[in-house]
Amino acid sequence: MSAAIRVLIVDDEPLARERVRELLTEVPDMTVIGECRDGTEAIAAIRAERPDLVLLDVQMPEPDGFGVLSAVANEYQPAVIFITAHRDFAVQAFEANALDYLLKPFDRERFHQSLARVRERRRTGATELDAELIERLESLSHRLPPASEPYVKRLVAKVGWRMRFLRVEDIDYLEAEGNYVSVHQGKQSYLTRETMNALEEKLDPKDFVRAHRSLIVRLDRIEEVEPLGPGEMVLTLRDGTKLTSGRSYRARLQRALDLPT
């Protein structure tokens, strides 16, 4: 009997890590050897543990998934499956020799298909993309560009036993709170169990910007920006609310607000 495939999970979303971990409990030939919340932790874990397989998020606190692979490229190259809410990185992922590209939300069957690909690669040692994977890559690449996709006009939040519909245009900002995301509208806030990455994908990037791994802000609510420290900024909203951006999100915030670099 061959040794179990040693798996490292890398994702900045706790719920996403939990979901993958639960799915892997159904697979007796794979063992989770660790979990990482950001790129820095992932680089250290890959160097120390040398996992057979890394289930790797793309967008997370720097370095991102591609930065992780680049950092360890000359030392060790594990098998990699990218797991992300963003289809835009598919081509780049396969250029990085990823075995598969799982687009969130994915179902159990699709997850197990990816793991079967890992076993097959391990058995045969093949290094070329197979026909199914090429077809999938072409499908992802030929999707309509994000600008033409319909972004949501409202979100749904649970209030007691009721479901409340929140108009996107009324949202000031969204903030992660443990396993929930708090959606702020004026003096009111509502909880939703969707992840920050899933919500970021649903919201029009012309109107919203990810300012921290736990913060998304509506651009036209920002009245003032003040540098706080290396890479961080204090965002003052129209109602006086002050929010702090993350260092890893400085560049995208500068682009979204047309700030000088």
Side-chain angles (χ1 to χ4, degrees), residues 42-83:
I43 292 169
I46 292 171
R47 285 173 172 161
E49 302 295 337
R50 303 218 161 203
D52 301 309
L53 170 65
V54 180
L55 301 175
L56 183 61
D57 190 12
V58 175
Q59 287 196 308
M60 56 185 176
E62 291 183 356
D64 63 12
F66 298 110
V68 170
L69 296 185
S70 176
V72 301
N74 293 328
E75 306 164 50
Y76 181 68
Q77 295 186 6
V80 174
I81 294 174
F82 279 105
I83 300 180

Side-chain angles (χ1 to χ4, degrees), residues 14 23 73-74 125 158 166 178 190 199 239:
L23 288 172
N74 293 328
K158 192 173 182 180
L166 310 175
Y190 306 92
L199 289 167
D239 64 357

Side-chain angles (χ1 to χ4, degrees), residues 163-208:
M163 306 302 290
R164 181 181 290 271
F165 297 105
L166 310 175
R167 295 197 310 171
V168 166
E169 63 192 72
D170 295 332
I171 295 173
D172 298 321
Y173 64 100
L174 305 94
E175 189 173 31
E177 291 189 15
N179 292 333
Y180 295 85
V181 171
S182 184
V183 183
H184 295 266
Q185 288 185 331
K187 295 181 179 179
Q188 301 294 323
S189 63
Y190 306 92
L191 293 177
T192 172
R193 290 209 63 168
E194 292 194 78
T195 68
M196 291 295 285
N197 283 345
L199 289 167
E200 183 183 16
E201 183 81 357
K202 289 182 174 182
L203 297 171
D204 192 335
K206 294 196 303 296
D207 297 324
F208 289 87

Side-chain angles (χ1 to χ4, degrees), residues 9 15 19-20 27 43 45 52 86 99 113-114 138 146 156 159 168 179 191 202 204 214 230 238 248 254:
I9 302 171
L15 285 178
R19 160 86 168 148
V20 170
V27 185
I43 292 169
D52 301 309
H86 303 273
L99 277 179
Q113 286 177 356
S114 288
E138 290 176 343
V156 180
V159 181
V168 166
N179 292 333
L191 293 177
K202 289 182 174 182
D204 192 335
S214 61
R238 291 180 185 174
S248 302
Q254 287 175 318

